[in-house]
Structure formats: structure tokens, C-alpha cells
Short mmCIF file of all heavy atoms in Angstrom, two decimals:
data_model
loop_
_atom_site.label_atom_id
_atom_site.label_comp_id
_atom_site.label_asym_id
_atom_site.label_seq_id
_atom_site.Cartn_x
_atom_site.Cartn_y
_atom_site.Cartn_z
N GLY A 724 34.64 53.49 17.59
CA GLY A 724 34.84 53.79 19.00
C GLY A 724 33.73 53.26 19.89
O GLY A 724 33.73 53.51 21.08
N ILE A 725 32.75 52.55 19.33
CA ILE A 725 31.62 52.07 20.13
C ILE A 725 31.95 50.82 20.95
O ILE A 725 31.40 50.59 22.00
CB ILE A 725 30.39 51.78 19.18
CG1 ILE A 725 29.14 51.41 20.02
CG2 ILE A 725 30.72 50.66 18.22
CD1 ILE A 725 28.60 52.54 20.82
N MET A 726 32.89 50.01 20.46
CA MET A 726 33.16 48.72 21.11
C MET A 726 33.61 48.85 22.56
O MET A 726 33.17 48.05 23.41
CB MET A 726 34.16 47.91 20.28
CG MET A 726 34.14 46.42 20.58
SD MET A 726 32.50 45.67 20.36
CE MET A 726 32.33 45.70 18.59
N PRO A 727 34.44 49.82 22.93
CA PRO A 727 34.80 49.95 24.36
C PRO A 727 33.58 50.18 25.25
O PRO A 727 33.53 49.68 26.37
CB PRO A 727 35.76 51.14 24.38
CG PRO A 727 36.35 51.17 23.02
CD PRO A 727 35.27 50.74 22.10
N VAL A 728 32.58 50.93 24.75
CA VAL A 728 31.38 51.16 25.53
C VAL A 728 30.58 49.87 25.70
O VAL A 728 30.11 49.55 26.79
CB VAL A 728 30.50 52.23 24.84
CG1 VAL A 728 29.24 52.48 25.64
CG2 VAL A 728 31.28 53.52 24.63
N LEU A 729 30.45 49.08 24.61
CA LEU A 729 29.76 47.81 24.69
C LEU A 729 30.47 46.86 25.63
O LEU A 729 29.81 46.16 26.42
CB LEU A 729 29.64 47.21 23.29
CG LEU A 729 28.95 48.01 22.20
CD1 LEU A 729 28.77 47.17 20.95
CD2 LEU A 729 27.62 48.55 22.66
N LYS A 730 31.79 46.83 25.58
CA LYS A 730 32.56 45.92 26.45
C LYS A 730 32.43 46.31 27.90
O LYS A 730 32.38 45.46 28.79
CB LYS A 730 34.03 45.91 26.02
CG LYS A 730 34.29 45.17 24.72
CD LYS A 730 35.77 45.18 24.35
CE LYS A 730 36.02 44.38 23.06
NZ LYS A 730 37.45 44.44 22.66
N LEU A 731 32.35 47.62 28.16
CA LEU A 731 32.17 48.09 29.53
C LEU A 731 30.83 47.62 30.09
O LEU A 731 30.75 47.14 31.22
CB LEU A 731 32.26 49.63 29.56
CG LEU A 731 32.08 50.27 30.94
CD1 LEU A 731 33.25 49.89 31.87
CD2 LEU A 731 32.03 51.80 30.79
N SER A 732 29.78 47.71 29.27
CA SER A 732 28.46 47.24 29.68
C SER A 732 28.44 45.73 29.89
O SER A 732 27.86 45.20 30.84
CB SER A 732 27.38 47.66 28.67
OG SER A 732 27.23 49.05 28.67
N TYR A 733 29.10 45.03 28.96
CA TYR A 733 29.18 43.56 29.03
C TYR A 733 29.88 43.15 30.33
O TYR A 733 29.47 42.17 30.98
CB TYR A 733 29.94 43.01 27.83
CG TYR A 733 30.34 41.58 27.93
CD1 TYR A 733 29.40 40.56 27.70
CD2 TYR A 733 31.64 41.21 28.29
CE1 TYR A 733 29.76 39.21 27.78
CE2 TYR A 733 32.00 39.87 28.39
CZ TYR A 733 31.05 38.89 28.14
OH TYR A 733 31.41 37.56 28.26
N GLY A 734 30.89 43.89 30.74
CA GLY A 734 31.67 43.55 31.94
C GLY A 734 30.86 43.60 33.22
O GLY A 734 31.25 42.97 34.21
N THR A 735 29.74 44.32 33.20
CA THR A 735 28.92 44.43 34.40
C THR A 735 27.90 43.31 34.52
O THR A 735 27.21 43.21 35.55
CB THR A 735 28.19 45.78 34.43
OG1 THR A 735 27.23 45.84 33.36
CG2 THR A 735 29.16 46.94 34.29
N LEU A 736 27.77 42.46 33.49
CA LEU A 736 26.76 41.40 33.53
C LEU A 736 27.19 40.29 34.46
O LEU A 736 28.40 39.99 34.57
CB LEU A 736 26.57 40.81 32.10
CG LEU A 736 26.00 41.73 31.02
CD1 LEU A 736 26.03 41.00 29.68
CD2 LEU A 736 24.60 42.15 31.37
N PRO A 737 26.26 39.59 35.11
CA PRO A 737 26.60 38.40 35.90
C PRO A 737 27.22 37.34 34.98
O PRO A 737 26.90 37.27 33.77
CB PRO A 737 25.22 37.93 36.42
CG PRO A 737 24.35 39.13 36.38
CD PRO A 737 24.81 39.93 35.21
N SER A 738 28.10 36.51 35.50
CA SER A 738 28.87 35.56 34.70
C SER A 738 27.96 34.62 33.90
O SER A 738 28.22 34.32 32.73
CB SER A 738 29.83 34.77 35.56
OG SER A 738 29.13 34.05 36.57
N ARG A 739 26.88 34.14 34.50
CA ARG A 739 26.00 33.20 33.80
C ARG A 739 25.22 33.89 32.68
O ARG A 739 24.93 33.29 31.65
CB ARG A 739 25.04 32.53 34.78
CG ARG A 739 25.74 31.53 35.67
CD ARG A 739 24.81 30.92 36.71
NE ARG A 739 25.52 29.94 37.52
CZ ARG A 739 25.00 29.36 38.61
NH1 ARG A 739 23.77 29.65 39.00
NH2 ARG A 739 25.71 28.48 39.30
N VAL A 740 24.92 35.17 32.88
CA VAL A 740 24.25 35.93 31.83
C VAL A 740 25.22 36.20 30.69
O VAL A 740 24.84 36.19 29.51
CB VAL A 740 23.68 37.24 32.38
CG1 VAL A 740 23.03 38.08 31.29
CG2 VAL A 740 22.66 36.95 33.48
N LYS A 741 26.50 36.44 31.00
CA LYS A 741 27.50 36.60 29.97
C LYS A 741 27.57 35.39 29.05
O LYS A 741 27.68 35.50 27.83
CB LYS A 741 28.89 36.82 30.61
CG LYS A 741 29.10 38.18 31.24
CD LYS A 741 30.50 38.26 31.83
CE LYS A 741 30.77 39.61 32.46
NZ LYS A 741 32.11 39.70 33.07
N GLN A 742 27.51 34.21 29.64
CA GLN A 742 27.55 32.96 28.88
C GLN A 742 26.36 32.87 27.93
O GLN A 742 26.53 32.46 26.77
CB GLN A 742 27.57 31.79 29.87
CG GLN A 742 28.00 30.47 29.27
CD GLN A 742 28.14 29.40 30.35
OE1 GLN A 742 27.45 29.45 31.37
NE2 GLN A 742 29.01 28.43 30.12
N CYS A 743 25.20 33.24 28.42
CA CYS A 743 24.00 33.20 27.56
C CYS A 743 24.09 34.21 26.44
O CYS A 743 23.67 33.94 25.30
CB CYS A 743 22.76 33.51 28.42
SG CYS A 743 22.38 32.21 29.63
N PHE A 744 24.64 35.39 26.73
CA PHE A 744 24.81 36.40 25.70
C PHE A 744 25.77 35.94 24.61
O PHE A 744 25.48 36.08 23.40
CB PHE A 744 25.31 37.71 26.32
CG PHE A 744 25.79 38.73 25.32
CD1 PHE A 744 24.88 39.37 24.50
CD2 PHE A 744 27.13 39.00 25.19
CE1 PHE A 744 25.33 40.30 23.55
CE2 PHE A 744 27.58 39.92 24.27
CZ PHE A 744 26.68 40.58 23.46
N ALA A 745 26.93 35.41 25.01
CA ALA A 745 27.92 34.98 24.03
C ALA A 745 27.36 33.90 23.10
O ALA A 745 27.72 33.84 21.90
CB ALA A 745 29.19 34.48 24.74
N TYR A 746 26.51 33.04 23.62
CA TYR A 746 25.91 31.97 22.83
C TYR A 746 25.12 32.52 21.62
O TYR A 746 25.04 31.88 20.58
CB TYR A 746 24.97 31.17 23.74
CG TYR A 746 24.23 30.04 23.05
CD1 TYR A 746 24.85 28.82 22.81
CD2 TYR A 746 22.91 30.20 22.62
CE1 TYR A 746 24.16 27.78 22.19
CE2 TYR A 746 22.23 29.18 22.00
CZ TYR A 746 22.86 27.96 21.78
OH TYR A 746 22.17 26.94 21.15
N CYS A 747 24.60 33.73 21.73
CA CYS A 747 23.76 34.32 20.69
C CYS A 747 24.54 34.60 19.43
O CYS A 747 23.93 34.80 18.35
CB CYS A 747 23.11 35.59 21.17
SG CYS A 747 21.91 35.32 22.55
N CYS A 748 25.88 34.61 19.48
CA CYS A 748 26.66 34.89 18.27
C CYS A 748 26.55 33.76 17.25
O CYS A 748 26.97 33.90 16.10
CB CYS A 748 28.12 35.16 18.63
SG CYS A 748 29.07 33.68 19.06
N LEU A 749 26.05 32.57 17.68
CA LEU A 749 25.87 31.45 16.74
C LEU A 749 24.83 31.73 15.69
O LEU A 749 24.81 31.09 14.64
CB LEU A 749 25.48 30.19 17.52
CG LEU A 749 26.64 29.46 18.22
CD1 LEU A 749 26.09 28.38 19.14
CD2 LEU A 749 27.56 28.85 17.18
N PHE A 750 23.95 32.69 15.94
CA PHE A 750 22.90 33.03 14.99
C PHE A 750 23.36 34.15 14.06
O PHE A 750 24.18 34.98 14.48
CB PHE A 750 21.63 33.44 15.74
CG PHE A 750 21.06 32.35 16.61
CD1 PHE A 750 21.55 32.13 17.90
CD2 PHE A 750 20.06 31.53 16.15
CE1 PHE A 750 21.03 31.12 18.69
CE2 PHE A 750 19.54 30.52 16.94
CZ PHE A 750 20.04 30.33 18.22
N PRO A 751 22.88 34.18 12.84
CA PRO A 751 23.33 35.22 11.89
C PRO A 751 22.92 36.61 12.33
O PRO A 751 21.99 36.79 13.15
CB PRO A 751 22.60 34.85 10.58
CG PRO A 751 22.16 33.42 10.76
CD PRO A 751 21.93 33.24 12.23
N LYS A 752 23.61 37.61 11.81
CA LYS A 752 23.21 38.99 12.07
C LYS A 752 21.79 39.26 11.55
O LYS A 752 21.38 38.67 10.55
CB LYS A 752 24.18 39.97 11.39
CG LYS A 752 25.55 40.02 12.08
CD LYS A 752 26.44 41.08 11.45
CE LYS A 752 27.77 41.20 12.20
NZ LYS A 752 28.63 42.21 11.64
N ASP A 753 21.09 40.12 12.23
CA ASP A 753 19.70 40.47 11.93
C ASP A 753 18.72 39.30 12.13
O ASP A 753 17.61 39.31 11.64
CB ASP A 753 19.55 41.01 10.49
CG ASP A 753 18.30 41.84 10.31
OD1 ASP A 753 18.05 42.73 11.13
OD2 ASP A 753 17.53 41.57 9.35
N TRP A 754 19.18 38.27 12.85
CA TRP A 754 18.31 37.13 13.14
C TRP A 754 17.18 37.57 14.09
O TRP A 754 17.41 38.29 15.06
CB TRP A 754 19.12 36.02 13.78
CG TRP A 754 18.35 34.76 14.06
CD1 TRP A 754 17.80 34.41 15.25
CD2 TRP A 754 18.09 33.70 13.15
NE1 TRP A 754 17.16 33.19 15.15
CE2 TRP A 754 17.33 32.73 13.84
CE3 TRP A 754 18.39 33.48 11.81
CZ2 TRP A 754 16.92 31.56 13.25
CZ3 TRP A 754 17.97 32.30 11.22
CH2 TRP A 754 17.24 31.36 11.93
N GLU A 755 15.96 37.10 13.81
CA GLU A 755 14.87 37.35 14.71
C GLU A 755 14.74 36.19 15.68
O GLU A 755 14.30 35.12 15.32
CB GLU A 755 13.54 37.56 13.93
CG GLU A 755 12.41 38.02 14.81
CD GLU A 755 11.19 38.48 14.02
OE1 GLU A 755 10.77 37.73 13.10
OE2 GLU A 755 10.70 39.58 14.29
N PHE A 756 15.18 36.40 16.91
CA PHE A 756 15.16 35.38 17.93
C PHE A 756 13.77 35.18 18.48
O PHE A 756 13.01 36.13 18.66
CB PHE A 756 16.07 35.76 19.11
CG PHE A 756 17.53 35.81 18.81
CD1 PHE A 756 18.11 36.95 18.25
CD2 PHE A 756 18.35 34.74 19.10
CE1 PHE A 756 19.47 37.01 17.99
CE2 PHE A 756 19.72 34.78 18.86
CZ PHE A 756 20.26 35.93 18.30
N ASN A 757 13.43 33.93 18.76
CA ASN A 757 12.23 33.62 19.52
C ASN A 757 12.64 33.50 20.99
O ASN A 757 13.51 32.68 21.32
CB ASN A 757 11.59 32.34 19.04
CG ASN A 757 10.35 31.95 19.79
OD1 ASN A 757 10.41 31.45 20.91
ND2 ASN A 757 9.20 32.20 19.20
#
């Protein structure tokens, strides 16, 4: 039941920030981003 909450928060992001967020899925889970 957590995904609707995450999607609600995602929906409030500016469009360009949404694009940057979606790009992060290219990295594996538990990846330590620089």
C-alpha cells in the first residue's frame, strides 16, 4: 500500500525534476550515488 503515497509525492514534483528522478532507475538497487 506504499506505492500510492510515493506516487502522490512524485506528482507534486516539477516536470524537469521528475525527469531527473526517473533517470535514477538506471542504477541498481542500493546503489551509492555520487
Side-chain angles (χ1 to χ4, degrees):
I725 186 68
M726 200 56 71
V728 180
L729 302 187
K730 288 180 178 177
L731 181 65
S732 292
Y733 169 79
T735 66
L736 296 174
S738 59
R739 288 177 179 172
V740 178
K741 286 180 179 178
Q742 197 174 28
C743 293
F744 167 71
Y746 178 81
C747 295
C748 75
L749 280 170
F750 298 84
K752 288 185 177 181
D753 201 49
W754 183 263
E755 189 169 49
F756 292 85
N757 180 282

